Amino acid sequence: MYKRQPREWYVSHNRRLKAMRLAISLLDTGVYQPVSASNARIRAEADRLAIHPPSDTTCRMVRALIRYGR
């Protein structure tokens, strides 16, 4: 039988997916250093991709993905 996850799991999972999508998009546009990925730049990229603006937490995750993906 299918077991439903708690709401926090879905929130966390969707946050990770959004951060990954934004990190990939930023890397594709030439942002290779976390210091170049300000919250404003990440949110502008989200706007360009027509997705909801990310929270500060998601922006930190994007920078972490850029940092550790190198």
Side-chain angles (χ1 to χ4, degrees), residues 13-68:
H13 177 73
N14 289 334
R15 186 184 308 271
R16 287 190 304 268
L17 290 176
K18 181 187 254 184
M20 182 67 79
R21 185 173 178 194
L22 287 165
I24 290 168
S25 183
L26 286 167
L27 288 168
D28 286 346
T29 61
V31 177
Y32 301 115
Q33 299 293 326
V35 295
S36 301
S38 66
N39 286 1
R41 186 154 190 184
I42 293 168
R43 289 185 177 120
E45 190 64 21
D47 187 51
R48 191 182 74 78
L49 296 173
I51 58 177
H52 193 272
S55 66
D56 291 345
T57 302
T58 304
C59 289
R60 280 192 300 274
M61 289 177 77
V62 170
R63 284 189 287 277
L65 286 168
I66 292 171
R67 179 179 308 115
Y68 296 117

